[in-house]
Amino acid sequence: MKNKRVLPLLLALLLMASLIAACTNSGNDAPPAGEPSEPPAEEQKGEEPDPAEAELEGTIRISLPNGSASVWNAIGESYMAKRPKVKVVVDHKPLEGYKEWLTAQFAAGTPDVDLVVSNEVLALHENKSFVDMYPFFEKDNPYTWKKWKDSLDLDAMGINLSGVGADDHLYMLNFESVQIVWVYNKEIFAKVGVNEAPKTFNELIAAFDKIEAAGYTPLALAGNSNSMWSGQAGWLVRIYADQYMRDSINVIRSQQEDYTYLPEVDDAWTYDLNNAYNDSNSQVTKNDLRVYKAIKDKEGPYKVDGNPKWSAFMENLKKLFQYTPDGFFGVNDEQAYSLFLTGKAATMMGTPGSYWQLPKDFADETKTGATGGIKPFEYGFFNMPSMEGPEVMAPARTIHIPIGFYSFVAKDAKQTELDMDFMMYVTSPEGYKVYLTAIQNSTDAALSGAPALKDIELPAEMAGAFANFDPIGNTEGFPSAANSLARGVWDYQPSVQDWVGLVQRYFGDQITTEQYLKEYQAVVDKYLEPSLKEKKLELSDLDNPERRPPERS
């Protein structure tokens, strides 16, 4: 799967795998067990589905990070009622350590598990360890009586089928969306005399000073290594780096002679900083080799040491991270969330799903630590306040992407057929109704954004709530310097680990900004070639970035 065609997962929003809930007015009663769904009367024509489909049998094992057991058991039970020879086993894993667990499953051989979340193990994509879902888009979905692709909102998923070639693969399916926003305790803000949500970074810092003086933690943010790389701290690193590095696209976009160039997309493109979606994958294609070449040649925003944009960005980022909890680098997501939930912290990173999840969690004794829960407080949302200054290129954007990152472990053809039938059911109006209704009744999940599925009708209250979250642009899904370089070399783990240790020293006032940039440039230089090799590339490939790199085992 190439960044130019399918919006990939870059960040580890694995936490979002559990944020899914609501109800829907669409869907019909399930047909008798063992029978495929009947089409609407007007669609009962053409070829009948293969009767063998009703005889699917086997086991589907589901292990998601921080997934809701009640939700996935509900969808599993509903599916098993339709496919009585199939057994669905739900065995979710903690978010903390999920990547290591999944990697270990493959290291031991073919994993027993089937449905997983794979955005943190992209190296396994290179090895084709997961099912490529593109070929199944053209197959009939027995639960909708349409081709599967016709039930999917491909635009919302970031998929352009006209630009998909033989070398492109879809190893992760995203059928929901997420928009990262700030969530704040309105009562704390009012108590310190701040009655409007901040719109600029300077306004945010001024509010934080008052909040801290009043004895509250301004920002409930996790600072452990997972958060710094793929979690909430990593979100902020990439989002705010984007303000200073928006010209990345001029360096990495496909040139006319490039193997990645698509005339129907690229011929009409022009650079426009006033358009928050100007560099999106639907507007312009990118060449990964040009990204690596820019890192090697230290071109534009891909040069770290001595770059005034990097200096201004890091100094503002350090200022923001001074308002985090005590012992920041040892704080995990659950601890940070507890601070906000219990009224000890004034803000946190969240999604529109918090609109529904917070009321549930106020009453949750295990999350609040209080018998009977705690008294709810009034909360609200605001978009990313923009950093300002001479090095800033454009207003702040956020991460606003399709999510899910659902993958099936590649096994034999029989298991793949079963896995794809299950996913077709989940993404059908009938299956998704079961899914949403179960989550509405759960205590541990909330819909993070509108589903990227067709024929799904959300209740008016929910649809209206999502409409209140104004889109401000998306930073994610393409290899800008903010995404591929701000926290390690393009997710190559040894470089990420070195960066985490270095940025901890910087935030802890052990080194200056200039020292940080110099040392980080050395980290980038050290890991450039190993990062290339992980993606089956060589330094020599960068001599001719217009050429398709050769196949390597």
Side-chain angles (χ1 to χ4, degrees):
M1 179 177 66
K2 289 185 168 46
N3 289 332
K4 65 186 176 70
R5 291 161 182 156
V6 181
L7 196 62
L9 161 38
L10 168 46
L11 62 98
L13 297 183
L14 283 176
L15 183 61
M16 302 312 159
S18 64
L19 297 178
I20 33 181
C23 63
T24 176
N25 296 325
S26 62
N28 301 309
D29 293 337
E35 297 183 13
S37 305
E38 288 295 322
E42 65 273 15
E43 294 183 18
Q44 291 188 11
K45 56 187 177 181
E47 294 185 6
E48 294 291 321
D50 185 349
E53 287 186 338
E55 297 302 320
L56 288 172
E57 59 182 291
T59 302
I60 301 172
R61 293 179 170 84
I62 303 174
S63 292
L64 307 178
N66 277 9
S68 169
S70 64
V71 168
W72 285 93
N73 277 318
I75 193 69
E77 290 167 6
S78 177
Y79 180 74
M80 287 188 288
K82 303 183 74 63
R83 304 294 192 194
K85 294 184 179 181
V86 176
K87 183 178 182 181
V88 177
V89 179
V90 177
D91 180 24
H92 292 323
K93 305 298 180 184
L95 172 62
E96 193 79 22
Y98 183 81
K99 178 191 67 175
E100 291 76 14
W101 169 80
L102 185 55
T103 302
Q105 301 305 299
F106 282 94
T110 301
D112 288 334
V113 67
D114 298 295
L115 179 57
V116 299
V117 167
S118 72
N119 61 309
E120 285 195 312
V121 290
L122 297 182
L124 291 174
H125 291 203
E126 301 292 331
N127 297 329
K128 301 182 179 179
S129 300
F130 301 103
V131 173
D132 180 7
M133 300 189 208
Y134 274 146
F136 295 90
F137 277 23
E138 296 294 335
K139 295 186 178 296
D140 290 337
N141 182 340
Y143 308 101
T144 64
W145 291 69
K146 302 176 183 178
K147 291 187 183 298
W148 190 23
K149 68 179 182 180
D150 294 335
S151 299
L152 307 176
D153 187 342
L154 298 179
D155 288 338
M157 290 181 173
I159 296 175
N160 179 5
L161 287 180
S162 65
V164 173
D167 295 330
D168 294 300
H169 307 282
L170 183 66
Y171 297 124
M172 297 186 296
L173 189 67
N174 301 312
F175 55 79
E176 290 167 344
S177 64
V178 65
Q179 179 179 353
I180 304 304
V181 294
W182 288 73
V183 189
Y184 74 112
N185 185 321
K186 287 187 173 182
E187 296 176 13
I188 292 178
F189 270 65
K191 187 178 294 186
V192 301
V194 180
N195 296 311
E196 291 186 2
K199 294 181 175 61
T200 70
F201 184 76
N202 289 340
E203 289 176 358
L204 179 69
I205 295 303
F208 277 3
D209 284 337
K210 294 178 181 179
I211 290 166
E212 189 173 55
Y216 298 98
T217 297
L219 173 57
L221 185 71
N224 61 2
S225 58
N226 277 345
S227 178
M228 291 300 299
W229 168 49
S230 61
Q232 297 181 16
W235 302 348
L236 288 171
V237 172
R238 297 198 303 283
I239 287 169
Y240 281 118
D242 175 72
Q243 280 200 263
Y244 296 84
M245 303 175 193
R246 285 284 295 277
D247 56 345
S248 296
I249 188 60
N250 291 324
V251 179
I252 65 172
R253 69 181 180 89
S254 300
Q255 303 297 315
Q256 195 163 11
E257 68 275 13
D258 289 2
Y259 74 99
T260 52
Y261 192 84
L262 289 177
E264 62 270 27
V265 175
D266 297 309
D267 280 353
W269 181 84
T270 56
Y271 181 54
D272 183 5
L273 280 175
N274 295 315
N275 179 357
Y277 296 93
N278 177 243
D279 50 5
S280 67
N281 292 326
S282 63
Q283 299 295 313
V284 58
T285 69
K286 293 87 178 173
N287 183 339
D288 290 356
L289 294 182
R290 293 197 179 277
V291 179
Y292 275 118
K293 181 174 172 57
I295 295 173
K296 180 176 77 72
D297 295 344
K298 299 176 176 60
E299 182 177 359
Y302 295 87
K303 178 181 186 294
V304 177
D305 187 22
N307 190 327
K309 291 185 182 297
W310 274 83
S311 179
F313 153 60
M314 289 305 302
E315 287 173 357
N316 263 342
L317 192 69
K318 179 179 179 180
K319 184 183 297 183
L320 176 63
F321 278 44
Q322 301 307 304
Y323 295 96
T324 53
D326 292 339
F328 172 60
F329 294 116
V331 175
N332 62 33
D333 286 321
E334 291 75 16
Q335 292 167 328
Y337 182 57
S338 178
L339 288 173
F340 181 80
L341 186 65
T342 56
K344 298 181 178 68
T347 67
M348 70 172 190
M349 293 293 99
T351 74
S354 299
Y355 182 90
W356 294 277
Q357 190 62 46
L358 279 169
K360 295 180 181 183
D361 291 346
F362 286 140
D364 190 330
E365 295 182 2
T366 62
K367 293 182 179 178
T368 63
T371 302
I374 62 171
K375 180 182 177 182
F377 56 78
E378 186 180 4
Y379 56 89
F381 303 84
F382 58 89
N383 266 319
M384 293 290 156
S386 291
M387 291 182 176
E388 299 171 300
E391 302 299 340
V392 170
M393 301 193 70
R397 302 189 288 188
T398 188
I399 295 171
H400 192 177
I401 59 172
I403 62 164
F405 320 125
Y406 298 116
S407 299
F408 286 100
V409 175
K411 297 181 180 177
D412 56 63
K414 180 181 177 181
Q415 184 66 44
T416 296
E417 180 188 14
L418 177 58
D419 291 341
M420 290 298 98
D421 185 80
F422 176 75
M423 187 53 73
M424 287 182 184
Y425 177 68
V426 174
T427 56
S428 72
E430 179 186 344
Y432 204 72
K433 178 180 180 179
V434 175
Y435 176 71
L436 291 176
T437 301
I439 299 177
Q440 182 187 28
N441 297 327
S442 77
T443 60
D444 58 357
L447 190 67
S448 59
L453 301 171
K454 295 180 179 178
D455 306 319
I456 301 294
E457 183 180 352
L458 295 177
E461 178 186 4
M462 178 172 293
F466 286 142
N468 289 331
F469 293 91
D470 294 331
I472 60 172
N474 170 48
T475 68
E476 200 66 62
F478 51 91
S480 65
N483 286 327
S484 62
L485 209 58
R487 49 177 180 71
V489 182
W490 217 337
D491 294 326
Y492 181 62
Q493 287 306 297
S495 71
V496 172
Q497 294 165 12
D498 281 11
W499 171 76
V500 170
L502 179 60
V503 82
Q504 287 177 345
R505 290 168 54 214
Y506 175 59
F507 288 159
D509 288 327
Q510 298 176 33
I511 55 176
T512 65
T513 302
E514 290 71 21
Q515 289 172 320
Y516 167 83
L517 297 179
K518 186 176 184 63
E519 291 189 35
Y520 185 45
Q521 184 71 70
V523 169
V524 171
D525 295 343
K526 174 182 177 182
Y527 289 112
L528 172 61
E529 187 169 6
S531 174
L532 277 165
K533 289 184 179 297
E534 185 180 59
K535 295 190 177 184
K536 295 182 171 58
L537 298 171
E538 300 287 345
L539 279 172
S540 59
D541 296 330
L542 308 185
D543 294 338
N544 299 102
E546 71 280 1
R547 299 178 186 172
R548 184 186 302 275
E551 291 285 339
R552 297 185 175 94
S553 59

